[in-house]
């Protein structure tokens, strides 16, 4: 185990985060998401909730500051309703490390699937909240001169 890294961040997820470049996207998917159908690079985080992963990931990477919304969630399908507490919980997790919290948008279900196909990786979690998936876009880590 490494110091300062959320224990829910597995070695394989840590490797993926390190390999991602700026502009690459990562999907944190709920337990119902068709990850293996959409993507070859699927990691498992069974039993881990997305807000826990967001807390740990937010401490490790920058979110893309060159796009309007580096956080993307799925819109409800017509006839369904969103639980607004899911988004509140995710943004609260991110806000533990980042202020202000980056913008979040919602896109249509199949548009979200298309973005997921192009993502760097998908992490399947133990999240069971309906429409609980979130896509994050990695940004550039600022250079800090230590001289």
């Amino acid at each position: 185990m490494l110091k300062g890294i959320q224990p829910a961040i597995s070695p394989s997820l840590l490797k993926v985060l390190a390999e991602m470049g700026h502009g690459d996207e990562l999907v944190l998917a709920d337990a119902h998401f068709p990850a293996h159908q959409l993507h070859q690079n699927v990691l498992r985080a069974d039993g881990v909730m997305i807000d826990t992963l967001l807390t740990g990931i937010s401490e490790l990477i920058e979110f893309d500051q060159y796009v309007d919304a580096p956080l993307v969630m799925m819109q409800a399908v017509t006839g369904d309703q969103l639980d607004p507490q899911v988004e509140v919980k995710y943004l609260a997790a991110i806000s533990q490390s980042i202020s202000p919290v980056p913008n979040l948008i919602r896109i249509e279900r199949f548009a979200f699937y298309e973005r997921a196909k192009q993502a760097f990786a998908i992490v399947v979690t133990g999240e069971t909240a309906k429409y609980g998936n979130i896509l994050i876009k990695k940004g550039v880590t600022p250079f800090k001169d230590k001289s």
Side-chain angles (χ1 to χ4, degrees):
M1 182 174 280
L2 300 173
K3 291 171 49 177
I5 296 177
Q6 160 60 256
I9 305 293
S10 68
S12 57
L13 179 53
L14 192 58
K15 180 179 183 288
V16 162
L17 293 171
E19 290 175 341
M20 289 173 66
H22 62 85
D24 282 340
E25 296 179 334
L26 178 71
V27 175
L28 301 179
D30 64 37
H32 308 289
F33 194 78
H36 293 280
Q37 176 188 356
L38 298 174
H39 211 285
Q40 296 292 324
N41 192 9
V42 177
L43 289 78
R44 303 296 303 198
D46 299 290
V48 179
M49 298 295 108
I50 288 176
D51 62 322
T52 300
L53 290 175
L54 285 170
T55 298
I57 290 169
S58 298
E59 295 172 357
L60 299 173
I61 69 167
E62 296 291 328
F63 292 93
D64 195 334
Q65 55 274 68
Y66 300 113
V67 295
D68 290 334
L71 304 171
V72 180
M73 292 183 74
M74 194 182 290
Q75 290 175 347
V77 173
T78 303
D80 273 354
Q81 289 190 356
L82 294 173
D83 177 355
Q85 288 308 304
V86 175
E87 183 176 321
V88 168
K89 181 172 68 167
Y90 292 178
L91 296 178
I94 293 167
S95 74
Q96 292 179 42
S97 300
I98 298 174
S99 181
V101 173
N103 291 334
L104 182 146
I105 60 168
R106 289 189 177 267
I107 61 175
E108 188 270 334
R109 176 181 168 208
F110 291 105
F112 190 94
Y113 289 158
E114 288 303 314
R115 289 275 294 265
K117 287 178 186 177
Q118 302 304 314
F120 191 87
I122 298 175
V123 180
V124 178
T125 71
E127 186 66 56
T128 57
K130 199 170 188 181
Y131 301 105
N133 313 297
I134 187 167
L135 180 144
I136 60 177
K137 186 181 242 348
K138 186 177 179 182
V140 176
T141 303
F143 175 74
K144 294 183 181 175
D145 188 6
K146 299 211 180 207
S147 57

